[in-house]
Amino acid sequence: MTISDTDILFLGECVREAARIEIMPRFRNLGAADVAEKTSATDLVTQADLLAEHRITAALKDRFPAALIVGEEAYDADKSVVPALADAELAFVIDPVDGTFNFAAGLPVFGTMLAVTVRGETVAGIIHDAALGDTVTAIKGAGTFLTRQDGQSSRLKVAEPATLDQMVGGMSWGHMEEPDRSRICANMAKARMTFAFNCSAYEYWMVASGKLHFIGHSKLMPWDHLAGVLAHQEAGGHTAKFDGTPYRPGETTGGIISAPDRESWQLIRREIVGH
């Protein structure tokens, strides 16, 4: 199974249409009944998440009726879809509003992520910034590109390697368990500057475009990482799990680090993660 250039254009339009119709009209316009807690007060779902995922899913099913579709909001109804990514002939993974807490708080740091996998390999990824209208598109073997709302396009490249005290990065330590949580949080003081965006879409755009040197996460749900990891790798970066193995569709544990190159990755794992 292959994905054509026409398919990529279709997928990009699906994501942008969902942003125009379902997401942005609800940004800073949510009522109390439009927001619900999933597992905690910081793990939310809104009507924008649900309706955007429904719209994208319907469009994908219409064009690719045999494909496996994995949506973050539909996952609770059928958890078997995530391990099925390892072998699916063709699959699409959707995060309709990544950074839902930010979205619900009125902070314009959120995005829509869509990944395409073929037989356990990510072959395309899209990250759309609904607030600004920019789209990051990555294609396996063809690079990562940022397309602005006005149509201008540029190729993305990761940051040049640097010493740790000159690096800018972020680690999602808030989702970690002790003792990793406290150790990694303290070790982040070794970097030049740190950020916590609470939004994988934004973090992967930042690291793929060279604005950040590194990012790291412990929780590996596919909708948060597949599109972003491909974007980072196609921009020249090195991403691997905490144990050094590649991150593959269907995996949900093991932690992950994205850095400019293998040597920088090893430095972050040793000095920040402490492995």
Side-chain angles (χ1 to χ4, degrees), residues 12 26 36 38-39 46 60 75 81 91 100 109 125 130 152 165 177 184 198 204 219 231 246 268 270 272:
R26 293 177 170 84
K38 291 162 67 172
T39 61
T46 73
L60 293 174
Y75 170 67
V81 294
T100 301
V109 181
Q152 295 187 51
D165 62 355
E177 301 294 333
I184 291 174
N198 195 37
Y204 278 112
K219 188 178 179 182
I268 297 301
R270 183 178 67 251
I272 301 294

PDB file of all heavy atoms in Angstrom, residues 12 26 36 38-39 46 60 75 81 91 100 109 125 130 152 165 177 184 198 204 219 231 246 268 270 272:
ATOM      1  N   GLY A  12      -4.210  16.731   4.206  1.00  0.00           N
ATOM      2  CA  GLY A  12      -3.993  18.078   4.711  1.00  0.00           C
ATOM      3  C   GLY A  12      -5.271  18.896   4.704  1.00  0.00           C
ATOM      4  O   GLY A  12      -5.558  19.632   5.654  1.00  0.00           O
ATOM      5  N   ARG A  26     -14.967  27.148  18.139  1.00  0.00           N
ATOM      6  CA  ARG A  26     -15.194  26.854  19.562  1.00  0.00           C
ATOM      7  C   ARG A  26     -14.063  27.360  20.453  1.00  0.00           C
ATOM      8  O   ARG A  26     -14.183  27.315  21.682  1.00  0.00           O
ATOM      9  CB  ARG A  26     -15.376  25.339  19.754  1.00  0.00           C
ATOM     10  CG  ARG A  26     -16.654  24.822  19.113  1.00  0.00           C
ATOM     11  CD  ARG A  26     -16.790  23.311  19.244  1.00  0.00           C
ATOM     12  NE  ARG A  26     -18.129  22.900  18.817  1.00  0.00           N
ATOM     13  CZ  ARG A  26     -18.491  22.679  17.553  1.00  0.00           C
ATOM     14  NH1 ARG A  26     -17.585  22.813  16.579  1.00  0.00           N
ATOM     15  NH2 ARG A  26     -19.724  22.334  17.252  1.00  0.00           N
ATOM     16  N   ALA A  36     -15.310  18.262  29.389  1.00  0.00           N
ATOM     17  CA  ALA A  36     -15.451  17.193  30.381  1.00  0.00           C
ATOM     18  C   ALA A  36     -14.073  16.658  30.762  1.00  0.00           C
ATOM     19  O   ALA A  36     -13.134  16.691  29.957  1.00  0.00           O
ATOM     20  CB  ALA A  36     -16.319  16.060  29.832  1.00  0.00           C
ATOM     21  N   LYS A  38     -11.544  13.603  31.616  1.00  0.00           N
ATOM     22  CA  LYS A  38     -11.371  12.184  31.269  1.00  0.00           C
ATOM     23  C   LYS A  38     -10.821  11.431  32.479  1.00  0.00           C
ATOM     24  O   LYS A  38     -11.523  10.675  33.124  1.00  0.00           O
ATOM     25  CB  LYS A  38     -10.469  12.051  30.040  1.00  0.00           C
ATOM     26  CG  LYS A  38     -11.151  12.562  28.768  1.00  0.00           C
ATOM     27  CD  LYS A  38     -10.201  12.854  27.638  1.00  0.00           C
ATOM     28  CE  LYS A  38      -9.514  11.652  27.059  1.00  0.00           C
ATOM     29  NZ  LYS A  38      -8.742  11.979  25.824  1.00  0.00           N
ATOM     30  N   THR A  39      -9.559  11.664  32.795  1.00  0.00           N
ATOM     31  CA  THR A  39      -8.968  10.987  33.954  1.00  0.00           C
ATOM     32  C   THR A  39      -8.622  11.949  35.080  1.00  0.00           C
ATOM     33  O   THR A  39      -8.383  11.516  36.200  1.00  0.00           O
ATOM     34  CB  THR A  39      -7.696  10.235  33.540  1.00  0.00           C
ATOM     35  OG1 THR A  39      -6.724  11.174  33.032  1.00  0.00           O
ATOM     36  CG2 THR A  39      -8.008   9.194  32.462  1.00  0.00           C
ATOM     37  N   THR A  46     -13.166  18.099  24.817  1.00  0.00           N
ATOM     38  CA  THR A  46     -14.155  19.131  24.503  1.00  0.00           C
ATOM     39  C   THR A  46     -14.965  18.706  23.280  1.00  0.00           C
ATOM     40  O   THR A  46     -14.622  17.752  22.584  1.00  0.00           O
ATOM     41  CB  THR A  46     -13.479  20.485  24.202  1.00  0.00           C
ATOM     42  OG1 THR A  46     -12.850  20.416  22.910  1.00  0.00           O
ATOM     43  CG2 THR A  46     -12.457  20.842  25.264  1.00  0.00           C
ATOM     44  N   LEU A  60     -11.878   9.997   6.115  1.00  0.00           N
ATOM     45  CA  LEU A  60     -10.918   8.918   5.881  1.00  0.00           C
ATOM     46  C   LEU A  60     -11.624   7.620   5.501  1.00  0.00           C
ATOM     47  O   LEU A  60     -11.191   6.900   4.592  1.00  0.00           O
ATOM     48  CB  LEU A  60     -10.056   8.702   7.130  1.00  0.00           C
ATOM     49  CG  LEU A  60      -9.100   9.847   7.493  1.00  0.00           C
ATOM     50  CD1 LEU A  60      -8.428   9.549   8.830  1.00  0.00           C
ATOM     51  CD2 LEU A  60      -8.058  10.046   6.406  1.00  0.00           C
ATOM     52  N   TYR A  75     -10.624   5.810  21.225  1.00  0.00           N
ATOM     53  CA  TYR A  75      -9.782   4.734  21.755  1.00  0.00           C
ATOM     54  C   TYR A  75     -10.420   4.008  22.930  1.00  0.00           C
ATOM     55  O   TYR A  75     -10.321   2.782  23.040  1.00  0.00           O
ATOM     56  CB  TYR A  75      -8.428   5.321  22.160  1.00  0.00           C
ATOM     57  CG  TYR A  75      -7.530   4.395  22.938  1.00  0.00           C
ATOM     58  CD1 TYR A  75      -6.988   3.258  22.349  1.00  0.00           C
ATOM     59  CD2 TYR A  75      -7.215   4.668  24.272  1.00  0.00           C
ATOM     60  CE1 TYR A  75      -6.142   2.423  23.058  1.00  0.00           C
ATOM     61  CE2 TYR A  75      -6.373   3.841  24.986  1.00  0.00           C
ATOM     62  CZ  TYR A  75      -5.846   2.722  24.381  1.00  0.00           C
ATOM     63  OH  TYR A  75      -5.018   1.888  25.095  1.00  0.00           O
ATOM     64  N   VAL A  81      -7.168  -1.255  18.956  1.00  0.00           N
ATOM     65  CA  VAL A  81      -6.706  -0.606  17.732  1.00  0.00           C
ATOM     66  C   VAL A  81      -5.250  -0.161  17.818  1.00  0.00           C
ATOM     67  O   VAL A  81      -4.553  -0.113  16.796  1.00  0.00           O
ATOM     68  CB  VAL A  81      -7.599   0.599  17.365  1.00  0.00           C
ATOM     69  CG1 VAL A  81      -8.991   0.136  16.995  1.00  0.00           C
ATOM     70  CG2 VAL A  81      -7.649   1.626  18.499  1.00  0.00           C
ATOM     71  N   ALA A  91      -3.052   2.452   8.031  1.00  0.00           N
ATOM     72  CA  ALA A  91      -3.730   2.993   9.207  1.00  0.00           C
ATOM     73  C   ALA A  91      -3.538   4.500   9.279  1.00  0.00           C
ATOM     74  O   ALA A  91      -2.528   5.049   8.804  1.00  0.00           O
ATOM     75  CB  ALA A  91      -3.216   2.340  10.483  1.00  0.00           C
ATOM     76  N   THR A 100      -5.407  19.795  24.572  1.00  0.00           N
ATOM     77  CA  THR A 100      -6.786  20.165  24.896  1.00  0.00           C
ATOM     78  C   THR A 100      -6.870  21.063  26.130  1.00  0.00           C
ATOM     79  O   THR A 100      -7.711  21.970  26.187  1.00  0.00           O
ATOM     80  CB  THR A 100      -7.653  18.914  25.106  1.00  0.00           C
ATOM     81  OG1 THR A 100      -7.636  18.133  23.911  1.00  0.00           O
ATOM     82  CG2 THR A 100      -9.085  19.269  25.434  1.00  0.00           C
ATOM     83  N   VAL A 109      -2.028  27.341  22.019  1.00  0.00           N
ATOM     84  CA  VAL A 109      -0.929  26.393  21.867  1.00  0.00           C
ATOM     85  C   VAL A 109      -1.541  24.999  21.797  1.00  0.00           C
ATOM     86  O   VAL A 109      -1.634  24.278  22.789  1.00  0.00           O
ATOM     87  CB  VAL A 109       0.087  26.506  23.026  1.00  0.00           C
ATOM     88  CG1 VAL A 109       1.233  25.520  22.830  1.00  0.00           C
ATOM     89  CG2 VAL A 109       0.627  27.924  23.121  1.00  0.00           C
ATOM     90  N   GLY A 125       3.156  12.261   8.043  1.00  0.00           N
ATOM     91  CA  GLY A 125       2.638  12.902   9.242  1.00  0.00           C
ATOM     92  C   GLY A 125       2.264  14.344   8.964  1.00  0.00           C
ATOM     93  O   GLY A 125       2.960  15.027   8.197  1.00  0.00           O
ATOM     94  N   ALA A 130      -4.026  25.140  14.135  1.00  0.00           N
ATOM     95  CA  ALA A 130      -5.317  25.710  13.761  1.00  0.00           C
ATOM     96  C   ALA A 130      -5.381  27.208  14.013  1.00  0.00           C
ATOM     97  O   ALA A 130      -6.028  27.946  13.265  1.00  0.00           O
ATOM     98  CB  ALA A 130      -6.435  24.999  14.530  1.00  0.00           C
ATOM     99  N   GLN A 152       3.080  29.848   1.310  1.00  0.00           N
ATOM    100  CA  GLN A 152       4.541  29.783   1.261  1.00  0.00           C
ATOM    101  C   GLN A 152       5.030  28.541   2.003  1.00  0.00           C
ATOM    102  O   GLN A 152       4.541  28.212   3.079  1.00  0.00           O
ATOM    103  CB  GLN A 152       5.152  31.034   1.885  1.00  0.00           C
ATOM    104  CG  GLN A 152       4.867  32.318   1.131  1.00  0.00           C
ATOM    105  CD  GLN A 152       5.634  33.495   1.712  1.00  0.00           C
ATOM    106  OE1 GLN A 152       6.848  33.428   1.898  1.00  0.00           O
ATOM    107  NE2 GLN A 152       4.926  34.574   2.011  1.00  0.00           N
ATOM    108  N   ASP A 165      24.659  23.074  28.333  1.00  0.00           N
ATOM    109  CA  ASP A 165      24.356  24.354  28.978  1.00  0.00           C
ATOM    110  C   ASP A 165      23.923  25.429  27.987  1.00  0.00           C
ATOM    111  O   ASP A 165      23.526  26.522  28.389  1.00  0.00           O
ATOM    112  CB  ASP A 165      25.544  24.836  29.814  1.00  0.00           C
ATOM    113  CG  ASP A 165      26.797  25.103  28.988  1.00  0.00           C
ATOM    114  OD1 ASP A 165      26.795  24.819  27.764  1.00  0.00           O
ATOM    115  OD2 ASP A 165      27.783  25.599  29.558  1.00  0.00           O
ATOM    116  N   GLU A 177       6.211   9.234  36.708  1.00  0.00           N
ATOM    117  CA  GLU A 177       6.065   8.754  38.081  1.00  0.00           C
ATOM    118  C   GLU A 177       7.375   8.970  38.831  1.00  0.00           C
ATOM    119  O   GLU A 177       8.443   9.102  38.227  1.00  0.00           O
ATOM    120  CB  GLU A 177       5.698   7.261  38.085  1.00  0.00           C
ATOM    121  CG  GLU A 177       4.409   6.924  37.351  1.00  0.00           C
ATOM    122  CD  GLU A 177       3.183   7.519  38.017  1.00  0.00           C
ATOM    123  OE1 GLU A 177       3.227   7.736  39.249  1.00  0.00           O
ATOM    124  OE2 GLU A 177       2.179   7.759  37.307  1.00  0.00           O
ATOM    125  N   ILE A 184      14.293  14.018  36.831  1.00  0.00           N
ATOM    126  CA  ILE A 184      14.358  14.665  35.521  1.00  0.00           C
ATOM    127  C   ILE A 184      14.042  16.145  35.626  1.00  0.00           C
ATOM    128  O   ILE A 184      14.687  16.982  34.984  1.00  0.00           O
ATOM    129  CB  ILE A 184      13.426  13.946  34.529  1.00  0.00           C
ATOM    130  CG1 ILE A 184      14.005  12.555  34.218  1.00  0.00           C
ATOM    131  CG2 ILE A 184      13.234  14.756  33.258  1.00  0.00           C
ATOM    132  CD1 ILE A 184      13.111  11.684  33.369  1.00  0.00           C
ATOM    133  N   ASN A 198       2.872  21.457  27.181  1.00  0.00           N
ATOM    134  CA  ASN A 198       1.726  20.572  27.364  1.00  0.00           C
ATOM    135  C   ASN A 198       1.009  20.349  26.029  1.00  0.00           C
ATOM    136  O   ASN A 198      -0.218  20.306  25.965  1.00  0.00           O
ATOM    137  CB  ASN A 198       0.739  21.137  28.401  1.00  0.00           C
ATOM    138  CG  ASN A 198      -0.258  20.098  28.869  1.00  0.00           C
ATOM    139  OD1 ASN A 198       0.081  18.932  29.027  1.00  0.00           O
ATOM    140  ND2 ASN A 198      -1.500  20.509  29.073  1.00  0.00           N
ATOM    141  N   TYR A 204       6.788  19.140  18.813  1.00  0.00           N
ATOM    142  CA  TYR A 204       7.424  18.526  17.652  1.00  0.00           C
ATOM    143  C   TYR A 204       7.664  19.541  16.540  1.00  0.00           C
ATOM    144  O   TYR A 204       8.674  19.469  15.826  1.00  0.00           O
ATOM    145  CB  TYR A 204       6.604  17.336  17.148  1.00  0.00           C
ATOM    146  CG  TYR A 204       6.875  16.075  17.930  1.00  0.00           C
ATOM    147  CD1 TYR A 204       5.909  15.505  18.749  1.00  0.00           C
ATOM    148  CD2 TYR A 204       8.118  15.454  17.862  1.00  0.00           C
ATOM    149  CE1 TYR A 204       6.160  14.348  19.471  1.00  0.00           C
ATOM    150  CE2 TYR A 204       8.393  14.307  18.587  1.00  0.00           C
ATOM    151  CZ  TYR A 204       7.403  13.751  19.389  1.00  0.00           C
ATOM    152  OH  TYR A 204       7.675  12.610  20.106  1.00  0.00           O
ATOM    153  N   LYS A 219       5.112   9.126  28.251  1.00  0.00           N
ATOM    154  CA  LYS A 219       3.864   8.523  27.787  1.00  0.00           C
ATOM    155  C   LYS A 219       3.865   8.496  26.264  1.00  0.00           C
ATOM    156  O   LYS A 219       4.039   9.528  25.610  1.00  0.00           O
ATOM    157  CB  LYS A 219       2.686   9.338  28.316  1.00  0.00           C
ATOM    158  CG  LYS A 219       1.327   8.723  28.064  1.00  0.00           C
ATOM    159  CD  LYS A 219       0.241   9.606  28.679  1.00  0.00           C
ATOM    160  CE  LYS A 219      -1.141   9.048  28.428  1.00  0.00           C
ATOM    161  NZ  LYS A 219      -2.203   9.930  28.975  1.00  0.00           N
ATOM    162  N   ALA A 231       8.260  13.805  11.562  1.00  0.00           N
ATOM    163  CA  ALA A 231       8.630  15.173  11.198  1.00  0.00           C
ATOM    164  C   ALA A 231      10.034  15.505  11.691  1.00  0.00           C
ATOM    165  O   ALA A 231      10.840  16.111  10.965  1.00  0.00           O
ATOM    166  CB  ALA A 231       7.615  16.160  11.772  1.00  0.00           C
ATOM    167  N   PRO A 246      14.345   2.063  18.386  1.00  0.00           N
ATOM    168  CA  PRO A 246      13.447   2.939  17.625  1.00  0.00           C
ATOM    169  C   PRO A 246      12.035   2.888  18.195  1.00  0.00           C
ATOM    170  O   PRO A 246      11.605   1.878  18.760  1.00  0.00           O
ATOM    171  CB  PRO A 246      13.486   2.340  16.215  1.00  0.00           C
ATOM    172  CG  PRO A 246      14.701   1.488  16.171  1.00  0.00           C
ATOM    173  CD  PRO A 246      14.906   0.984  17.555  1.00  0.00           C
ATOM    174  N   ILE A 268      21.565  13.847  26.328  1.00  0.00           N
ATOM    175  CA  ILE A 268      20.302  14.114  27.016  1.00  0.00           C
ATOM    176  C   ILE A 268      19.891  12.911  27.857  1.00  0.00           C
ATOM    177  O   ILE A 268      19.441  13.057  29.006  1.00  0.00           O
ATOM    178  CB  ILE A 268      19.197  14.462  26.001  1.00  0.00           C
ATOM    179  CG1 ILE A 268      19.543  15.742  25.250  1.00  0.00           C
ATOM    180  CG2 ILE A 268      17.846  14.599  26.695  1.00  0.00           C
ATOM    181  CD1 ILE A 268      19.736  16.940  26.117  1.00  0.00           C
ATOM    182  N   ARG A 270      21.787  10.688  29.243  1.00  0.00           N
ATOM    183  CA  ARG A 270      22.688  10.538  30.385  1.00  0.00           C
ATOM    184  C   ARG A 270      22.489  11.647  31.415  1.00  0.00           C
ATOM    185  O   ARG A 270      22.388  11.387  32.622  1.00  0.00           O
ATOM    186  CB  ARG A 270      24.143  10.523  29.888  1.00  0.00           C
ATOM    187  CG  ARG A 270      25.169  10.306  31.008  1.00  0.00           C
ATOM    188  CD  ARG A 270      26.572  10.247  30.461  1.00  0.00           C
ATOM    189  NE  ARG A 270      27.031  11.510  29.897  1.00  0.00           N
ATOM    190  CZ  ARG A 270      27.209  11.742  28.608  1.00  0.00           C
ATOM    191  NH1 ARG A 270      26.973  10.780  27.714  1.00  0.00           N
ATOM    192  NH2 ARG A 270      27.633  12.920  28.184  1.00  0.00           N
ATOM    193  N   ILE A 272      20.066  14.266  31.528  1.00  0.00           N
ATOM    194  CA  ILE A 272      18.718  14.711  31.890  1.00  0.00           C
ATOM    195  C   ILE A 272      17.862  13.552  32.373  1.00  0.00           C
ATOM    196  O   ILE A 272      17.302  13.581  33.481  1.00  0.00           O
ATOM    197  CB  ILE A 272      18.024  15.407  30.700  1.00  0.00           C
ATOM    198  CG1 ILE A 272      18.822  16.613  30.233  1.00  0.00           C
ATOM    199  CG2 ILE A 272      16.593  15.802  31.084  1.00  0.00           C
ATOM    200  CD1 ILE A 272      18.901  17.753  31.226  1.00  0.00           C
TER     201      ILE A 272
END
